[in-house]
Amino acid sequence: MSSDEVRSPTKRKLGEAVHEAPSKRRQLEAARLGGEVEVADLPVIDLAKFMGAEESDAAAEECKKVAEALHKYGCLIVRDPRVSMADNDRFVDNMEEYFERPLDSKMKEVKPELSYQIGATPDHTERPRNHCAKVAEMPDEHRPLSLCPPELDPKWRYFWHIGERPKETRFKQLNAEQVVPEGMPHFREVMDTWGSKMLAAVLQVARMAAKGFDLPLDTFTSRMNMGPHLLAPTGSDFGKYGQLGTVLAGYHYDLNFMTIHGKSRFPGLYVWLRDGRRAAVKVPDQCLLVQAGRQFEYITGGYVLAGYHEVVVAPSTLEAIERAKKEGRSLWRVSSTLFSHIASDQKLGPLPPFVERMVAGEADPEAARRALVDKYPEVFTGDQVEAELKAINLERSVSKRPGEEEEGGAEEKSSA
């Protein structure tokens, strides 16, 4: 790390933006993203081949492709006939309208006492886990632009629950009531409509993955029932953070089961494949991107790894910003994102069929089995979520004063 990238711990108040301009070195590294980074060649899965024809040969082939892609890449692209670009555009329009509101208005929807798991999360609140040890082992051409130790992300987020919630739960703050912005009467209908379609798509992928792994169809979906699924759009203001090399979402994995994305109006998403390569993601029209999260890794004992990714201002992002300016469009980058979850009160741990896959071929299968259980000990999913929220600066306890944090991020404990 160059001297201009070494930062001292700072303190900030909730809603106060503290963000340094990208260093010259980081701008040069970002410029390389315009021509030196491959585009991920991800399989495109046609959900229509499975819908209503689950036992057909075509469905079986698509299901195997899902399982293989999750194991090999940790992500895949799906085409769902129930989802259209018009649906996505209406949702993005809605969130652009919200994020463009004045700061004082948006702060009314901020709920730090609920660990920001409903309503708005201001910019410079979330900080990715510290993965510096992992990054240090990467070849230079595949290292993320994110700084070490990680900085606070300059993105906003809005969390909106999708699906039913349990009447009784040990984890009430993960299943809290909706927060509806004032003066946006259409907000609830737009969020529920798009979120329901995204959740339906990811549940279909979960069923196909189970079949592809030779498991009962409901292996994953039964555990996802009543989960705290969250429509989770981010908002990044290119009026403030539109410089080449700006990291909008630092290098991280998602803590949930599977994340599904609609198409953004501004590029800049990069993923890391299982073999360690960084790749750009381009989602075709009428398609959705699905990526495995930490809960998927946990439940498979590492057979499927949580996918790492970051969002940055790359040369292609600058081109999209200029087009938006010329066309008079919003300069807020909205991610069309939904986090699907295993239910909070479900136990989370490696399923036996995946344990057997992971220990197959080991010289000492029993020792390998014990090591796997030690790495992924059984926990309530809600406890796993709360531990992850604490690590990324979002979990709030009564003893912690909201809005004031030391920089640095929690050091990564797992080798994932």
Side-chain angles (χ1 to χ4, degrees):
M1 186 187 303
S2 63
S3 60
D4 65 343
E5 291 178 290
V6 177
R7 296 162 296 116
S8 300
T10 61
K11 290 187 177 181
R12 60 178 293 277
K13 293 181 179 180
L14 194 65
E16 175 190 0
V18 178
H19 193 78
E20 300 173 5
S23 67
K24 290 183 179 179
R25 176 180 175 181
R26 190 151 52 151
Q27 290 183 53
L28 289 172
E29 290 174 348
R32 289 170 39 204
L33 298 177
E36 296 185 13
V37 176
E38 67 177 295
V39 176
D41 185 19
L42 301 176
V44 178
I45 308 300
D46 187 354
L47 302 190
K49 292 183 179 180
F50 184 75
M51 296 162 62
E54 297 173 1
E55 300 304 319
S56 68
D57 291 343
E61 184 178 346
E62 291 297 288
C63 292
K64 286 296 182 185
K65 286 166 61 177
V66 170
E68 289 169 3
L70 287 168
H71 174 63
K72 184 176 180 180
Y73 303 114
C75 53
L76 61 149
I77 291 170
V78 301
R79 181 178 290 109
D80 187 334
R82 300 166 297 183
V83 176
S84 72
M85 285 294 292
D87 296 325
N88 187 61
D89 287 343
R90 184 169 179 248
F91 167 75
V92 173
D93 289 344
N94 181 63
M95 293 314 304
E96 287 177 350
E97 179 185 347
Y98 175 77
F99 287 127
E100 287 172 351
R101 302 181 105 188
L103 176 63
D104 289 348
S105 174
K106 289 184 290 192
M107 292 301 292
K108 294 176 183 178
E109 287 83 55
V110 175
K111 304 294 179 183
E113 70 275 13
L114 297 174
S115 299
Y116 303 98
Q117 292 307 285
I118 198 68
T121 306
D123 57 355
H124 300 93
T125 299
E126 180 178 346
R127 180 188 295 109
R129 269 186 177 272
N130 186 328
H131 299 295
C132 296
K134 182 181 183 73
V135 171
E137 298 176 354
M138 295 179 177
D140 288 347
E141 65 270 24
H142 293 298
R143 288 186 180 181
L145 294 188
S146 304
L147 296 181
C148 279
E151 59 189 340
L152 297 166
D153 286 343
K155 69 179 189 298
W156 280 73
R157 190 186 291 281
Y158 204 98
F159 277 143
W160 182 266
H161 287 158
I162 298 297
E164 292 185 69
R165 289 295 185 269
K167 293 180 180 178
E168 299 292 334
T169 176
R170 298 174 182 84
F171 305 96
K172 294 186 184 301
Q173 75 174 24
L174 301 181
N175 296 274
E177 293 297 318
Q178 300 282 32
V179 175
V180 184
E182 296 177 2
M184 295 185 69
H186 53 281
F187 193 87
R188 180 185 292 274
E189 187 273 329
V190 173
M191 301 294 272
D192 285 344
T193 298
W194 181 238
S196 296
K197 291 187 176 187
M198 294 272 273
L199 180 58
V202 81
L203 288 172
Q204 194 79 300
V205 173
R207 296 176 75 234
M208 294 178 73
K211 186 177 178 67
F213 287 128
D214 298 319
L215 300 171
L217 278 179
D218 68 347
T219 297
F220 303 128
T221 54
S222 62
R223 291 168 169 83
M224 297 167 72
N225 185 43
M226 297 286 183
H229 313 300
L230 292 166
L231 190 56
T234 60
S236 301
D237 184 0
F238 287 138
K240 294 180 179 178
Y241 309 117
Q243 294 173 284
L244 182 66
T246 298
V247 177
L248 305 173
Y251 178 75
H252 69 288
Y253 59 73
D254 291 337
L255 63 87
N256 52 294
F257 184 62
M258 281 194 288
T259 302
I260 186 165
H261 300 274
K263 192 166 185 173
S264 174
R265 292 171 177 169
F266 297 91
L269 173 63
Y270 293 84
V271 301
W272 275 258
L273 307 180
R274 192 182 182 103
D275 62 7
R277 289 178 294 139
R278 174 174 57 185
V281 174
K282 294 184 178 180
V283 181
D285 288 346
Q286 308 299 328
C287 291
L288 304 164
L289 172 68
V290 177
Q291 190 165 32
R294 178 66 171 169
Q295 291 171 9
F296 211 138
E297 177 177 331
Y298 217 100
I299 207 169
T300 63
Y303 189 77
V304 173
L305 292 178
Y308 285 81
H309 48 285
E310 71 176 355
V311 181
V312 304
V313 178
S316 58
T317 318
L318 294 180
E319 293 171 3
I321 291 172
E322 287 306 308
R323 287 194 299 271
K325 286 179 179 178
K326 290 178 181 178
E327 296 169 9
R329 292 188 284 108
S330 174
L331 293 182
W332 278 84
R333 182 191 189 274
V334 173
S335 72
S336 183
T337 304
L338 180 134
F339 295 142
S340 70
H341 279 258
I342 301 297
S344 305
D345 296 278
Q346 282 274 350
K347 287 290 186 73
L348 191 64
L351 299 178
F354 290 106
V355 173
E356 297 311 309
R357 283 177 184 256
M358 293 297 288
V359 304
E362 294 286 341
D364 188 343
E366 284 306 314
R369 190 175 284 106
R370 288 194 299 271
L372 200 64
V373 171
D374 288 343
K375 185 175 181 180
Y376 302 103
E378 187 175 77
V379 296
F380 281 109
T381 306
D383 287 329
Q384 175 261 338
V385 170
E386 290 185 345
E388 292 282 355
L389 293 176
K390 185 175 182 179
I392 62 175
N393 199 38
L394 295 184
E395 190 272 337
R396 299 293 177 184
S397 64
V398 174
S399 62
K400 186 184 293 183
R401 190 174 76 189
E404 195 167 278
E405 277 298 322
E406 293 268 336
E407 282 200 46
E411 184 70 36
E412 180 184 18
K413 293 289 194 296
S414 80
S415 59

